[in-house]
């Protein structure tokens, strides 16, 4: 059954699938990534801040390296810096992968009504599947497309178009949930309805209901499409459902 995204009391947009970004949207990992970026820069007495990090949010690895190269001293190897940064980041993730409030419940609610759902992320597909498995979210996700599995990463629409194709749903009938501006650009370019839930960076565009709306949380986004989710505890996995 399609969900309805409300623009007014009489005007709705039908949604036949929901496609999620991962970092900063389902997982509270952008903060950890930013902290590890700051810590790595400090090893080289480099002063960087949130604005430097924001330029790289939502981009695939190759594009992120180009931006990183432009901000580092010319004598520094951007790839080596990024690898060191990733090592620090992975250490932070060893004990726990923080999940955004409402992520389990939102996905479980879609699962219960048989709404097709996928993840379209700038992270590598292999990494994304492993992290989603570790958090228990992978149980609810039918397909994952990583930024390394398509010709062009966000802000190009490729990851979203591929996720829709895997679900067998026209992109125009999909709702995309994003935190980053680059990801929002990608989903809109794919022709999807988009709800942005900004994380570390504010939205750089104005709401345009019903095609593009901004929410402050997954719970608010769920309510916008007619789902009431329990934010008090993670959803219970029903092992009897496929």
């Amino acid at each position: 059954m399609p969900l309805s995204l409300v623009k007014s009391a009489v005007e709705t947009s039908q949604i036949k699938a929901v496609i999620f970004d991962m970092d900063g949207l389902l997982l509270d990992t952008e903060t950890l990534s930013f902290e590890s970026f700051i810590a790595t820069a400090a090893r080289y007495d480099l002063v960087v801040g949130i604005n430097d990090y924001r330029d790289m949010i939502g981009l695939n690895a190759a594009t992120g390296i180009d931006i990183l190269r432009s901000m580092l001293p010319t004598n520094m190897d951007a790839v080596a810096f990024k690898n060191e940064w990733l090592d620090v980041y992975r250490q932070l993730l060893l004990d726990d992968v923080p999940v955004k409030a409402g992520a389990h419940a939102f996905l479980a609610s879609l699962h219960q009504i048989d709404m097709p759902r996928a993840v379209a992320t700038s992270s590598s597909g292999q990494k994304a599947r492993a992290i989603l498995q570790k958090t228990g979210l992978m149980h609810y996700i039918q397909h994952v497309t990583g930024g390394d599995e398509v010709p062009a990463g966000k802000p190009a629409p490729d990851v979203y178009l591929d996720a829709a194709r895997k679900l067998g749903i026209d992109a125009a009938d999909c709702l995309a949930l994003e935190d980053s501006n680059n990801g929002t650009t990608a989903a809109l370019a794919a022709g999807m309805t988009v709800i942005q839930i900004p994380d570390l960076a504010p939205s750089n565009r104005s709401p345009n209901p019903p095609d593009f709306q901004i929410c402050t949380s997954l719970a608010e986004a769920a309510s916008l499409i007619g789902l009431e989710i329990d934010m008090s505890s993670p959803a219970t996995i029903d092992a009897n459902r496929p």
Side-chain angles (χ1 to χ4, degrees):
M1 174 186 296
L3 295 171
S4 295
L5 180 67
V6 177
K7 177 180 178 182
S8 69
V10 296
E11 191 170 359
T12 62
S13 175
Q14 295 303 303
I15 298 161
K16 297 179 182 177
V18 182
I19 302 178
F20 296 82
D21 176 47
M22 186 179 74
D23 295 297
L25 191 282
L26 291 176
L27 305 179
D28 196 11
T29 45
E30 288 292 0
T31 299
L32 294 182
S33 182
F34 173 59
E35 290 173 357
S36 60
F37 173 58
I38 295 293
T40 305
R43 294 178 179 181
Y44 299 95
D45 297 321
L46 299 176
V47 178
V48 294
I50 187 63
N51 288 334
D52 298 303
Y53 181 78
R54 282 173 175 165
D55 289 339
M56 296 179 282
I57 295 176
L59 299 176
N60 66 2
T63 307
I65 284 290
D66 288 339
I67 292 177
L68 186 60
R69 187 174 289 115
S70 70
M71 73 175 66
L72 293 175
T74 55
N75 64 331
M76 288 192 67
D77 185 332
V79 173
F81 181 94
K82 182 61 180 292
N83 288 337
E84 188 174 342
W85 169 11
L86 286 175
D87 285 340
V88 176
Y89 174 63
R90 291 185 185 112
Q91 287 298 313
L92 293 176
L93 289 177
L94 282 178
D95 295 331
D96 180 48
V97 179
V99 177
K100 285 282 190 177
H104 279 281
F106 199 146
L107 284 162
S109 294
L110 295 175
H111 179 72
Q112 288 165 4
I113 63 172
D114 293 321
M115 172 65 61
R117 56 223 170 267
V119 163
T121 175
S122 292
S123 295
S124 77
Q126 182 178 3
K127 169 195 166 186
R129 293 179 190 93
I131 291 178
L132 290 168
Q133 190 69 45
K134 183 175 182 179
T135 60
L137 295 176
M138 193 65 197
H139 173 81
Y140 304 111
I141 296 164
Q142 293 167 288
H143 298 288
V144 174
T145 295
D148 61 335
E149 297 173 338
V150 292
K154 301 174 185 178
D158 301 32
V159 285
Y160 277 105
L161 292 173
D162 186 75
R165 179 187 61 80
K166 288 176 178 174
L167 291 174
I169 306 293
D170 288 342
D173 294 325
C174 294
L175 168 68
L177 275 76
E178 263 287 351
D179 69 292
S180 75
N181 292 317
N182 285 315
T184 296
T185 298
L188 288 171
M192 297 183 179
T193 298
V194 182
I195 297 176
Q196 186 177 11
I197 307 172
D199 187 30
L200 294 187
S203 179
N204 61 1
R205 48 172 53 83
S206 299
N208 182 32
D211 298 323
F212 172 64
Q213 302 200 50
I214 300 172
C215 291
T216 59
S217 66
L218 285 169
E220 183 181 349
S223 180
L224 194 61
I225 62 174
L227 294 177
E228 296 299 329
I229 63 175
D230 181 5
M231 297 287 287
S232 62
S233 62
T236 300
I237 295 174
D238 183 352
N240 295 318
R241 289 182 61 84

